[in-house]
Amino acid sequence: MKKSIKIFAPATVANLCCGFDVLGCCLDNVGDEMIISLTSEPGVKITKIDGANLPMETHKNVAGVSVEALLKKYGKEIGVEIEIYKKIKAGSGIGSSAASSAGAVWAVNYLLENPFTAHELVAFAMEGEKLASGNAHADNVAPALLGSFTLVRSYNPLDVVRLNAPSDLVMTVIHPQIEVKTSDSRSVIKQNVKLKDAVQQWGNVGGLVAGLLTEDYELIGRSLEDVIIEPLRSILIPEFKAVKEAAILKGALGCGISGSGPSIFALSKGEVTANLVAEAMQEIYSKTGLDFDIHVSKINSQGVRIMK
Ligand code: HSE
């Protein structure tokens, strides 16, 4: 017995400025590939990792622990083999660990003929995030599994809401080739927040959600603001301020840190603006001497998908 599928496991942008640990969205043309197989020998095995130096031991691998969490709940002895072809670099801030975790549980669920809903898969994939960063945040795995934009309304109990996105939104992401570990980037955040900052932040979260649902691009732009996390984390990212100013000048609706960084994202209305933003980002980074990648992507409304 060997049933296999090849999947695309998308990159994601978490936080979206105001929504630390609660908002995220799914990219369309940036992501990993994985081949997942059911086998007759029970147990989860990582049989290949290409493109990254990551642990092959199941209990140390984010895809491995996520699938083990799924199988524990499924309750039957199943054999799973996982091949991972990494295209998203670890520590990039565009959901590298989330892609592996979400892709693996989505594919195993598919091969088992969908015993779990996509919403239920989020909890299994969060086990991978817990292993990767010490914190089971869902703002990358939820959009990877559900597509579009997602809001984690509550962690306990887990309540994830998928939000439709206006069709003209396009994401530009610059990824400086320096690794910022999510655990390190979380350690610079203060545990206490001033009430006046909290008021501004939750106003923006509400504004962003309303803007997405009513396709109000200007409201989306006004709401892409982070008064709590960005001031602390942006110091870890070379040229953050210059990139943000240039993106806004070129017409981006908003710009901020992608997840825990070092990637910087900008959301624009339409591909023309998103490409102008990409050029402006490139111009700034070309002068730093640092290597970088730039992606321009539509929002992926589907999430993980099967590849032919
Ligand atoms: N919400 C998480 C953080 C996302 O900002 O630490 C990590 O990609």
Side-chain angles (χ1 to χ4, degrees):
M1 188 246 313
K2 188 160 176 169
K3 273 204 309 188
S4 273
I5 49 168
K6 183 175 181 189
I7 56 149
F8 171 74
T12 44
V13 172
N15 300 340
L16 297 166
C17 296
C18 52
F20 177 71
D21 276 1
V22 299
L23 285 172
C25 76
C26 189
L27 301 185
D28 201 39
N29 59 6
V30 193
D32 296 340
E33 292 171 17
M34 302 174 83
I35 296 173
I36 314 284
S37 311
L38 295 187
T39 61
S40 44
E41 193 189 323
V44 181
K45 279 195 199 124
I46 314 292
T47 50
K48 182 167 181 177
I49 301 176
D50 182 82
N53 187 13
L54 294 167
M56 300 287 287
E57 298 99 312
T58 304
H59 68 285
K60 291 186 186 166
N61 182 288
V62 298
V65 296
S66 301
V67 171
E68 282 187 331
L70 181 154
L71 293 180
K72 193 168 165 206
K73 186 85 174 187
Y74 187 61
K76 293 185 196 156
E77 294 271 289
I78 303 286
V80 175
E81 285 180 7
I82 302 173
E83 292 177 33
I84 307 172
Y85 298 85
K86 287 303 289 180
K87 317 268 177 190
I88 315 170
K89 296 203 176 68
S92 57
I94 50 171
S96 180
S97 53
S100 300
S101 307
V105 294
W106 189 94
V108 170
N109 191 50
Y110 178 88
L111 292 169
L112 294 174
E113 294 171 2
N114 300 315
F116 300 105
T117 65
H119 275 83
E120 287 171 327
L121 296 180
V122 173
F124 304 133
M126 284 167 71
E127 291 300 315
E129 294 295 68
K130 193 167 159 190
L131 177 68
S133 72
N135 180 279
H137 56 92
D139 50 345
N140 290 106
V141 292
L145 285 162
L146 304 175
S148 192
F149 286 73
T150 55
L151 167 74
V152 185
R153 206 260 333 144
S154 157
Y155 273 92
N156 193 14
L158 186 62
D159 185 0
V160 176
V161 185
R162 182 182 181 282
L163 307 164
N164 278 333
S167 53
D168 280 351
L169 277 184
V170 183
M171 187 67 89
T172 309
V173 180
I174 179 160
H175 170 211
Q177 309 281 299
I178 48 170
E179 186 180 354
V180 174
K181 289 210 172 80
T182 299
S183 49
D184 292 340
S185 184
R186 291 183 83 88
S187 70
V188 303
I189 300 169
K190 290 197 189 116
Q191 292 302 310
N192 295 304
V193 172
K194 286 197 189 112
L195 184 61
K196 80 168 180 29
D197 291 339
V199 169
Q200 198 165 342
Q201 202 88 345
W202 61 53
N204 280 323
V205 172
L208 184 49
V209 171
L212 291 170
L213 298 183
T214 59
E215 311 212 347
D216 183 338
Y217 291 92
E218 286 182 6
L219 177 57
I220 292 169
R222 291 199 300 283
S223 309
L224 287 169
E225 179 190 49
D226 175 4
V227 295
I228 296 176
I229 312 291
E230 184 180 293
L232 301 169
R233 277 185 170 171
S234 55
I235 46 176
L236 302 172
I237 305 171
E239 299 297 340
F240 176 79
K241 197 162 167 271
V243 167
K244 183 169 172 169
E245 280 170 9
I248 303 291
L249 200 68
K250 292 288 171 188
L253 299 166
C255 177
I257 303 171
S258 176
S260 55
S263 288
I264 305 170
F265 82 93
L267 262 181
S268 301
K269 183 179 181 189
E271 270 179 74
V272 173
T273 307
N275 283 319
L276 287 174
V277 169
E279 279 170 27
M281 289 177 167
Q282 177 162 5
E283 202 180 313
I284 292 168
Y285 255 79
S286 317
K287 293 177 194 147
T288 62
L290 286 170
D291 287 336
F292 60 90
D293 287 331
I294 294 198
H295 310 287
V296 175
S297 172
K298 289 197 170 141
I299 306 301
N300 168 354
S301 62
Q302 190 183 355
V304 181
R305 61 176 178 252
I306 295 175
M307 293 178 77
K308 299 273 176 252

